């Protein structure tokens, strides 16, 4: 074995997390840094302020290394995972020529027409971070998705189709070198070591887009299990080997294992963000009451929501806090209030809306793939909620499970390092050694029946009733 520890970096939409694992996937220590609020100078424009992506990862890394009890010389390497669907503009020296576009920025999905005269490279957030850590203009192919980049999803390399290149309008010389997940992208420079606290010279290993890395870190999933990834963007995925190019109810994404693919359903934009939004609305009083009892805001409110019956006594939430581009008039909706409803009802209704929305979208994906689910695996911070796990099991009508101990994108990044550096001979062996057992939640049949009736009779048709009035109000309140 070349060493004893592996670092996994998970640069997310709301925070950056750096975790040190041992070779069996156990968490040794970690650090986390919340991102600064996004800059939104006008409608449709969402940017990261300053150099926040790099600075937050460095801050989280310094926290982790300050808590690290071992010998830094025993760190095998670092697996780098960052937010997908972002666009960064780099000068010739690798510094930013313009603010990094968030995945919520509508320009990030349009042909390249901006970035400034100093822009020498156009890349993803992972391409930018790779240069910051290694000094090399390289990126994982698996974070360059066809809806944003001129990539050939069969070869995992830049397309040589003139029509594709012309559509995206990114000169070939502005595109960085592509690598496969598990390739060594370079080594931590002295400057990056000083900023992050990581040892100089350790290998930086390419991974994939954040959802694919999270899927890997959640363990090997077979064709009868779906992963529900709870984040600012909520998605569901099943693994596959075929590059399906014209699906209707899902899209084909690169997996974190070279040559493999993930089938990903339609998701929820600003999914878990909606919960944070609601908690923020409740203000300092809730935060103080929770702190007095040694609880987080989520834990405090979950105790109230746990006593609410399935269906939240008719209170239903529609999660359009960020409208889809093809229906820009849509807004978030809560319908069905009466005198019974408390803040616990509202909280539970948001949880139920997430589960019910993903149930419909997973069902559509599985029907097109011709598969039936036997279980779901839930990952992300929301998986720590026993109430949320029970709601998922009840809504889907199959067992829901979550990883015990550390998991997710940081562990997925560590698994890539373990393969790249020879700790384990292949991905399957690394997954078997480094992912943990899961805690499972069985569905309550009575609650499943309530959710099925609620969904089939009312919930899945709510937008048909609300779209008209929201569309009429859109010119007034847009």
């Amino acid at each position: 074995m070349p060493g004893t520890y592996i670092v996994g970096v998970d640069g997310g939409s709301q925070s950056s997390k750096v975790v040190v694992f041992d070779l069996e996937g156990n968490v040794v220590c970690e650090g986390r840094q919340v991102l600064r609020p996004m800059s939104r100078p006008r409608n449709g424009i969402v940017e990261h302020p300053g150099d926040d992506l790099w600075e937050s990862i460095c801050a989280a890394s310094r926290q982790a290394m300050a808590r690290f009890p071992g010998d830094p010389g025993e760190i095998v390497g670092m697996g780098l995972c960052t937010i997908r669907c972002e666009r960064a503009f780099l000068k010739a020296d690798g510094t930013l020529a313009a603010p990094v576009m968030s995945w919520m920025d509508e320009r990030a999905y349009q042909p390249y027409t901006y970035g400034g005269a100093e822009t020498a490279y156009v890349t993803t957030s992972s391409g930018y971070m790779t240069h910051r850590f290694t000094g090399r203009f390289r990126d994982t192919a698996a974070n360059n998705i066809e809806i944003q980049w001129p990539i050939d999803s069969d070869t995992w390399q830049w397309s040589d189709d003139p029509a594709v290149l012309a559509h995206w309008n990114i000169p070939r010389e502005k595109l960085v070198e592509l690598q496969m997940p598990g390739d060594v992208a370079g080594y931590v420079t002295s400057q990056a070591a000083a900023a992050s606290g990581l040892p100089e010279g350790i290998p930086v290993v390419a991974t994939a887009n954040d959802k694919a890395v999270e899927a890997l870190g959640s363990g090997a999933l077979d064709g009868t299990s779906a992963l529900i990834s709870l984040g600012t963007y909520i998605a569901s995925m099943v693994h596959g080997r075929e590059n399906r190019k014209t699906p209707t109810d899902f899209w084909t994404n690169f997996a974190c294992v070279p040559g493999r693919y993930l089938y990903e359903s339609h998701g929820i934009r600003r999914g878990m963000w909606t919960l944070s939004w609601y908690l923020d609305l409740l203000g300092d009083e809730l935060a103080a009451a929770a702190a007095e009892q040694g609880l987080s805001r989520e834990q405090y409110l979950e105790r109230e929501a746990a006593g609410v019956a399935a269906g939240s006594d008719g209170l239903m939430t529609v999660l359009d806090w960020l409208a889809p581009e093809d229906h820009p008039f849509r807004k978030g909706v809560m319908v069905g209030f009466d005198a019974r409803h408390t803040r616990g009802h509202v909280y539970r209704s948001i949880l139920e809306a997430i589960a019910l929305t993903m149930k419909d979208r997973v069902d559509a994906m599985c029907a097109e793939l011709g598969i039936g689910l036997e279980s779901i695996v839930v990952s992300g911070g929301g998986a720590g909620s026993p109430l949320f796990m029970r709601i998922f099991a009840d809504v889907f009508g199959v067992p829901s499970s979550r990883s015990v101990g550390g998991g997710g994108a940081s562990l997925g990044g560590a698994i890539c390092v373990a393969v790249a550096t020879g700790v384990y001979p292949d991905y399957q062996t690394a997954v078997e050694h480094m992912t943990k057992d899961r805690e499972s939640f069985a569905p309550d049949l009575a609650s499943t029946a309530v959710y099925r009736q609620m969904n089939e009779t009312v919930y899945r048709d709510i937008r048909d009733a609300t779209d008209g009035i929201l569309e009429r109000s859109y010119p007034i309140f847009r």
Side-chain angles (χ1 to χ4, degrees), residues 89-98 112 114-122 137 174:
F89 308 92
L90 309 186
K91 299 178 184 179
D93 63 359
T95 59
L96 289 176
Y112 171 72
Y114 28 71
E118 291 185 292
T119 298
Y121 296 94
V122 186
F137 292 103
K174 291 184 184 292

Side-chain angles (χ1 to χ4, degrees), residues 43 64 68 101 112 135 145 167 294 314 373 412:
N43 190 41
F68 178 56
M101 292 179 182
Y112 171 72
I145 302 170
H167 169 75
L373 290 185

Side-chain angles (χ1 to χ4, degrees), residues 215-272:
L216 180 66
S218 298
L221 304 177
D222 59 29
T224 62
S225 295
L227 172 69
I228 310 293
S229 169
L230 300 176
T232 304
Y233 179 76
I234 297 174
S236 65
M237 295 155 277
V238 294
H239 281 87
R241 294 177 179 270
E242 180 184 351
N243 184 13
R244 300 201 179 202
K245 296 187 176 182
T246 56
T248 300
D249 289 307
F250 66 92
W251 62 287
T252 302
N253 187 8
F254 293 116
C256 199
V257 178
R260 301 279 184 89
Y261 296 91
L262 281 177
Y263 308 131
E264 183 172 327
S265 76
H266 302 303
I268 303 173
R269 305 172 83 192
R270 289 191 183 169
M272 296 303 290

Side-chain angles (χ1 to χ4, degrees), residues 197-212:
L198 292 171
E200 180 181 353
I202 63 171
V204 176
V205 176
T207 63
N209 59 87
D210 54 357
K211 296 300 184 186

Side-chain angles (χ1 to χ4, degrees), residues 260-336:
R260 301 279 184 89
Y261 296 91
L262 281 177
Y263 308 131
E264 183 172 327
S265 76
H266 302 303
I268 303 173
R269 305 172 83 192
R270 289 191 183 169
M272 296 303 290
W273 176 95
T274 309
L275 280 175
S276 299
W277 166 84
Y278 177 57
L279 292 168
D280 289 343
L281 281 185
L282 296 178
D284 294 339
E285 181 181 352
L286 173 71
E292 186 176 341
Q293 298 188 29
L295 302 172
S296 68
R297 297 182 304 169
E298 292 85 353
Q299 291 169 330
Y300 185 86
L301 206 54
E302 181 166 323
R303 294 195 309 183
E304 298 181 14
V308 175
S312 298
D313 291 322
L315 180 61
M316 294 174 285
T317 299
V318 181
L319 295 163
D320 284 323
W321 266 250
L322 179 62
E325 293 181 6
D326 55 343
H327 294 86
F329 55 84
R330 283 183 173 164
K331 304 286 186 182
V333 173
M334 290 182 176
V335 61

